[in-house]
Amino acid sequence: MPAPERIPTGRVSAGDVLTLLTKGELTVRGQVREASNAVLFCSVAYEGDEVHCVYKPIAGERPLWDFPDGTLAQREVAAYELSEATGWGLVPPTVLRDGPYGQGMVQLWIEADPEAALLALVEDEEPGEGWKAVGFADVGEGRTALLVHADDARLRRLAVLDAVINNGDRKGGHLLPTADGALYAIDHGVTFNAEDKLRTLLWGWAGEPLPEEATRALASVAAALVDGAALAARLAELLTPAEVAAVRDRVAALLSSGTHPLPSGEWPAIPWPPV
């Protein structure tokens, strides 16, 4: 697999990436084999510019009993649209389009910085300065260690976004910090269920007051979700009416409580494996 580029080459601006992903010629270069659904590593070229991307064809999705409506690809695109509405840019540019194996999700490839530390396992019962405790994890041989994540404003924004999109599978491998200090999050197929499905390893702020920037972002999202607004119309193309209504309800609940949500207690709050 060739070395990917995080930033589009040469003349391509951030505003042009969606056009490139939508209209460019997709060429499959390889497959991400450890994924549970079909994930293809591709290049996409348009008018002399080329970037690397991920293509997830709908035909390669495994049916999920608790997500009978719509497709995982549509939910991936809806997560991008919601992320953009917050102004945080946490999800890489993502579009729904035809490809070599039919319609699917196409997303800009992000190269993560392997030196960036956002998660850790520690032997102590306290997370230490700069870290937030999630819970204890089995590390083998009858031993457990405390799973912690960084007390990082970028992760905190993502925790809020996950609460809005009702992410049922936020694992450590979905976090892509980059060398220039940005943070992206991927794999949003299991999202937007009308029932509470939130499972994440970003519980470090559970029950704490939302930061002011989060309440501002949520207020902007709420305004964008009213009937007739562009975001509401776009989500209606990707999700069911019940799912769109549930998004509105979750945003309203977060603004009303003013706090990060707590685990429901009805099922394991942390996905397995967490990373």
Side-chain angles (χ1 to χ4, degrees), residues 56-67:
K56 297 183 181 180
I58 292 172
E61 296 179 1
R62 295 182 181 180
L64 298 175
W65 68 268
D66 51 348
F67 286 85

Side-chain angles (χ1 to χ4, degrees), residues 125-219:
E125 294 187 2
E126 296 296 329
E129 186 175 357
W131 296 90
K132 287 284 191 177
V134 179
F136 285 93
D138 183 359
V139 293
E141 298 180 356
R143 296 169 53 244
T144 60
L146 184 65
L147 176 64
V148 300
H149 63 69
D151 189 2
D152 185 303
R154 300 169 302 170
L155 287 180
R156 192 165 192 174
R157 295 177 193 126
L158 184 58
V160 174
L161 177 65
D162 280 344
V164 172
I165 68 175
N166 196 17
N167 194 341
D169 193 35
R170 172 62 72 213
K171 297 177 180 176
H174 303 163
L175 308 177
L176 303 180
T178 63
D180 63 359
L183 174 69
Y184 294 94
I186 59 171
D187 286 349
H188 295 106
V190 188
T191 51
F192 292 104
N193 200 299
E195 299 180 7
D196 182 9
K197 297 280 187 178
L198 185 60
R199 292 203 312 159
T200 175
L201 48 69
L202 299 180
W203 288 115
W205 300 281
E208 293 187 14
L210 292 168
E212 184 178 348
E213 70 159 351
T215 58
R216 289 197 303 267
L218 290 169

